[in-house]
Amino acid sequence: MVDYAIEIEGLQKTYAAAGGGAPKHALKGVDLQIPAGSIFGLLGPNGAGKSTMINILAGLVNKTSGKVKIRGWDQDVNPRQSRAAIGVMPQELNLDPFFTPFEALEVQAGLYAVPKQERRSMEILDMVGLADKANAYARSLSGGMRRRLLLAKALVHNPQVLVLDEPTAGVDIELRQMLWTNVRRLNEETGLTVILTTHYLEEAQEMCDEIAIINHGEVVIRDSTNALLNRLDGKTLVIYPHGDAPATLPLPEGVTMERRPNDALAFTYNRSQIGTGALMEELRAHGLHIRDVATEEPDLEDVFLDLTKSRD
Ligand code: ADP
Ligand code: MG
């Protein structure tokens, strides 16, 4: 039996209309299960519903309908336990400018009723590289430092699930590396489940075991990162025939053909299965005269765009 960190069933969120506009269906019945101990990526374009989903998990936004369980605790039945099981680093930099980082962590610990002797504020500040800023005013912190502080705040109550909402949007490479090193270490050493949203595909590729892509409030696909990357193995060879193409063209296994405008033929195949040269040889052997060729290699961005536009 799989041990789930998060179980979401039929989750819907409709935001009331602002200023006479139409209500916004931000989540349209999402089902999603996230195994405990994994690093899970939630990908999607702006406005897809990622933050809405995460804020519902965190108890910051009320769902319209559906079921949410965190570490087995149903949000509606055991709200306190389900909230205690999750820590969220929000997308917005919402820090109180009057607290020092140390104070901010202590206040947060108080909100989660962490007993004094169990608090680890300095240890956490040290981990995110803010130990020397423990007593500085939040308003004197750089943007990168504020993000680190938000991460620290999310960890104060020792949650089993850590959610990072666009943690690296607009941060420099050094901070990004620091963040990922820390997050990986926490995941490996403590079995912390990590859920991150991002619209940087290479980040998801590097960090995540599994990925769900969400668009217009729906999960479009959910798969292991490797399986998603295997899709990227696909390549398209576009051939402009000289004269008429043969009426029937036997294709090697795993190759599919599609007719394009201007008599072009597009062959799609996996690079790991057949090379471009070998494919062209076979097509020639079957009587296809080649006037011109072009190749199209999708990158992650293409696959992402393809998946996110497919249900528009
Ligand atoms: P993402 O994080 O993927 O960019 P969001 O969850 O922030 O997406 O937003 C999903 C949709 O819900 C968007 O169309 C957004 O404009 C809308 N939305 C988000 N928050 C609110 C709100 N508080 N009131 C009304 N609409 C909202
Ligand atoms: Mg967002």
Side-chain angles (χ1 to χ4, degrees):
M1 216 185 87
V2 187
D3 185 16
Y4 290 114
I6 302 283
E7 295 156 90
I8 295 174
E9 240 182 78
L11 183 61
Q12 302 212 32
K13 175 64 188 179
T14 306
Y15 290 106
K24 176 75 203 173
H25 299 288
L27 294 175
K28 300 173 184 166
V30 168
D31 298 316
L32 192 62
Q33 294 173 321
I34 301 179
S38 61
I39 301 186
F40 192 93
L42 198 57
L43 265 61
N46 275 331
K50 305 181 295 297
S51 292
T52 298
M53 190 192 294
I54 275 171
N55 290 333
I56 290 172
L57 292 178
L60 299 170
V61 166
N62 290 325
K63 59 183 182 272
T64 304
S65 62
K67 216 178 177 56
V68 171
K69 282 189 186 178
I70 300 166
R71 293 305 283 139
W73 299 108
D74 187 312
Q75 223 176 28
D76 299 324
V77 182
N78 299 97
R80 200 174 49 80
Q81 289 91 335
S82 80
R83 244 172 80 82
I86 193 167
V88 177
M89 175 179 168
Q91 186 172 1
E92 311 294 331
L93 292 170
N94 58 348
L95 289 166
D96 189 320
F98 298 106
F99 289 132
T100 67
F102 183 81
E103 288 166 347
L105 294 201
E106 289 293 311
V107 168
Q108 184 81 355
L111 287 177
Y112 279 92
V114 180
K116 275 258 187 321
Q117 65 276 15
E118 285 175 27
R119 294 189 187 172
R120 315 172 285 133
S121 298
M122 273 318 290
E123 185 190 325
I124 295 172
L125 287 176
D126 192 37
M127 193 189 78
V128 300
L130 278 182
D132 58 336
K133 294 284 174 188
N135 300 311
Y137 280 104
R139 59 170 178 267
S140 72
L141 303 178
S142 69
M145 291 173 187
R146 286 171 201 221
R147 281 202 184 273
R148 292 178 209 212
L149 181 51
L150 286 175
L151 173 62
K153 272 180 78 176
L155 292 169
V156 153
H157 59 292
N158 217 3
Q160 294 158 286
V161 183
L162 173 67
V163 181
L164 310 166
D165 196 2
E166 308 252 0
T168 57
V171 309
D172 59 38
I173 292 184
E174 193 192 347
L175 176 57
R176 191 180 285 209
Q177 287 307 333
M178 189 265 343
L179 211 57
W180 293 144
T181 309
N182 278 325
V183 164
R184 262 210 202 87
R185 215 189 63 221
L186 280 166
N187 170 259
E188 280 163 13
E189 289 177 3
T190 69
L192 178 75
T193 306
V194 179
I195 302 167
L196 68 100
T197 79
T198 181
H199 53 259
Y200 296 123
L201 290 150
E202 68 287 2
E203 185 164 282
Q205 178 177 337
E206 198 188 316
M207 291 292 299
C208 301
D209 309 315
E210 290 186 273
I211 289 175
I213 294 181
I214 172 170
N215 194 30
H216 298 300
E218 294 179 293
V219 173
V220 185
I221 196 167
R222 179 260 162 81
D223 216 332
S224 73
T225 307
N226 281 337
L228 278 179
L229 288 174
N230 281 338
R231 294 169 168 257
L232 309 180
D233 187 32
K235 176 167 177 165
T236 300
L237 175 71
V238 184
I239 292 186
Y240 300 88
H242 190 69
D244 288 334
T248 57
L249 205 52
L251 297 174
E253 205 185 317
V255 179
T256 59
M257 190 188 84
E258 165 195 273
R259 293 182 186 273
R260 295 261 184 100
N262 303 320
D263 298 325
L265 303 173
F267 300 88
T268 301
Y269 55 100
N270 284 345
R271 279 172 290 183
S272 54
Q273 273 176 2
I274 187 168
T276 308
L279 175 60
M280 283 170 61
E281 277 314 306
E282 279 224 39
L283 295 170
R284 276 202 190 94
H286 290 300
L288 181 68
H289 298 286
I290 299 174
R291 176 167 58 84
D292 202 1
V293 296
T295 59
E296 297 169 359
E297 291 194 42
D299 57 15
L300 273 165
E301 207 70 35
D302 289 328
V303 172
F304 181 62
L305 288 174
D306 188 41
L307 285 167
T308 50
K309 78 165 186 251
S310 59
R311 285 202 189 171
D312 270 3

